[in-house]
Amino acid sequence: MVTRITAEFEAPETAELALKKIRENVRGVYSTNFVYNRRSNEAERLRGADIYTVMPTAVTSNNYLTATLESPASVDVIPEPARSRKTTVFIVCDGSNIQDIHSILTSSGGSNIYSPTA
């Protein structure tokens, strides 16, 4: 019997490692896939970056100066729901090794593990 197992992870990197471990160690796995919010990658890139703001300043006559302000970037620019890196994995397999897959998902940090037969 073909079964689909789903689980949630905190980050796509941990989900990818768990799926790799399942593909290498469990027989009867037909396909694996994961889905996450790709906009959260922008929030990750902002960590430790700087933002430069150009401020035009008019001086006398035809001479203009510009000033730049440097400030540390904040991930708060992107609102919280878009920053979430929650990842959902999908595993399609036969029903013989469901407990092994559950075990690997749990040990890899998976939560909300669901399969209709177990």
Side-chain angles (χ1 to χ4, degrees):
M1 176 166 79
V2 177
T3 304
R4 185 176 92 162
I5 301 171
T6 61
E8 293 179 356
F9 285 86
E10 291 295 319
E13 295 83 13
T14 56
E16 199 169 14
L17 289 173
L19 292 178
K20 180 181 177 195
K21 187 183 267 188
I22 288 170
R23 283 191 303 268
E24 290 174 351
N25 297 319
V26 179
R27 291 184 182 185
V29 175
Y30 300 123
S31 68
T32 60
N33 198 4
F34 65 96
V35 177
Y36 73 100
N37 179 11
R38 304 247 184 230
R39 186 158 184 238
S40 65
N41 291 339
E42 295 175 26
E44 282 297 310
R45 279 196 300 268
L46 284 177
R47 293 186 191 276
D50 293 325
I51 294 177
Y52 295 95
T53 306
V54 177
M55 299 179 59
T57 310
V59 186
T60 59
S61 69
N62 293 335
N63 298 330
Y64 289 93
L65 297 175
T66 57
T68 57
L69 295 174
E70 178 183 358
S71 60
S74 173
V75 293
D76 296 333
V77 173
I78 298 175
E80 178 56 42
R83 277 189 279 164
S84 174
R85 294 180 52 97
K86 184 181 85 162
T87 305
T88 304
V89 299
F90 304 98
I91 302 159
V92 178
C93 63
D94 59 14
S96 62
N97 294 320
I98 292 175
Q99 293 303 324
D100 294 338
I101 293 172
H102 278 246
S103 175
I104 292 172
L105 290 172
T106 303
S107 67
S108 299
S111 62
N112 295 335
I113 301 170
Y114 174 76
S115 63
T117 58

